[in-house]
Amino acid sequence: MSNMVIFNNMKHDFTEAEKVLAEYILQNYNEICNMTTYEIADATDTSPATLVRLAKKLGYSGFKALQIAIAKDTSKDTINTENLYEAITVNDSTEDIISKIALGNIDAIKNTAAIIKTHLIEESVNEILKAKCIHLFGIGSSYIVALDFQYKLVRINMLTSLHSDYHLQLVAASNINIDDVAIGISNSGKTQEVYNALKLCKERGAKTISITRLGRNPISAISDININTIEVEQQLRVGAISSRIAQLTVIDILFMCLMKKRYQSIPDYVRETDHIISSLKLK
């Protein structure tokens, strides 16, 4: 995944000096690998230490490691980013919209897969498997993602809780048990309703897992485990588009890892539900 996407997703977490550096790196992306830290610091009126802090904030051991990652980016044959990040407009043809939506969704999946930390997925799966009940929280399009996860969990005989009404979500959070798990889904990580519910779950002693976009945010800050997504959101938004795709990618990864862990018993549940549902289809 291009580091350009990470820069854009995390820029709200940067200090003013880091924002200046990030902007310079983005504008000189192809040349940055051949520059020293002192050259970059001098060109931006910052310091080598700020460069190192920026690299570490992005998840690298130092600026050299970031340069290596950028070099890998620039050596790949990538899709034209100017086209990919271009907003959908009212003047676009149907062909343009098809292309832009498809490319945005593909990029959201690739970007999210590239930043997901394996150990966080494994920790989440272990907590879900230990839980007596999995409580799901989400509002708007994130509720639809939570509903998809509930459907999957129910099919493998796992007890879940999800309510479309926010007040009922709060009631469920207030009644949560220390042996339960709470999963909050919010692209921005700033959805007040999800934050309130997850905070209440944490106060009740339940394990909390969140799925939010990359970068610091209130919901990830109160979560025991935070899984990140990266999306390419079009400027003309008809609801969340690529953010939903990124969230669904995480849900599918969690579900398949759960299937793997409970391989001995889960196939029986899946076969049984397949048989019941198939019997309802028209011949």
Side-chain angles (χ1 to χ4, degrees), residues 66-94:
L66 175 58
Q67 279 184 308
I68 292 170
I70 290 173
K72 290 179 180 177
D73 275 351
T74 54
S75 67
K76 294 175 183 175
D77 293 322
T78 57
I79 297 169
N80 186 317
T81 54
E82 194 172 311
N83 178 57
L84 185 60
Y85 292 98
E86 188 181 352
I88 295 173
T89 72
V90 293
N91 297 319
D92 281 340
S93 66
T94 302

Side-chain angles (χ1 to χ4, degrees), residues 21 24-26 28-36 40 63 66-67 70-71:
L21 273 173
Y24 182 83
I25 291 170
L26 288 172
N28 301 274
Y29 204 68
N30 293 324
E31 293 78 35
I32 214 74
C33 297
N34 298 317
M35 298 176 70
T36 68
I40 298 169
F63 186 66
L66 175 58
Q67 279 184 308
I70 290 173

Side-chain angles (χ1 to χ4, degrees), residues 109 112-114 116-118 121-122 125 149 152 227-228 246-260:
I109 294 169
T112 295
I116 289 177
K117 293 180 171 61
T118 305
I121 293 293
E122 292 173 348
V125 167
F149 199 21
K152 288 178 167 66
I227 302 172
N228 292 133
Q247 291 170 344
L248 286 169
T249 299
V250 171
I251 293 305
D252 286 344
I253 290 168
L254 286 170
F255 180 68
M256 293 312 299
C257 288
L258 285 167
M259 290 274 284
K260 175 188 168 188

Side-chain angles (χ1 to χ4, degrees), residues 145-164:
V145 176
L147 187 63
D148 179 79
F149 199 21
Q150 183 188 43
Y151 173 78
K152 288 178 167 66
L153 293 173
V154 168
R155 288 202 66 190
I156 58 174
N157 199 30
M158 299 191 79
L159 185 62
T160 67
S161 167
L162 173 65
H163 302 281
S164 58

Side-chain angles (χ1 to χ4, degrees), residues 7-52:
F7 275 115
N8 285 320
N9 273 256
M10 292 191 66
K11 59 187 176 186
H12 56 282
D13 292 335
F14 297 157
T15 64
E16 288 306 313
E18 289 167 351
K19 286 178 182 176
V20 171
L21 273 173
E23 188 61 33
Y24 182 83
I25 291 170
L26 288 172
Q27 290 178 359
N28 301 274
Y29 204 68
N30 293 324
E31 293 78 35
I32 214 74
C33 297
N34 298 317
M35 298 176 70
T36 68
T37 54
Y38 292 98
E39 287 173 334
I40 298 169
D42 184 60
T44 56
D45 284 328
T46 57
S47 68
T50 307
L51 264 173
V52 173

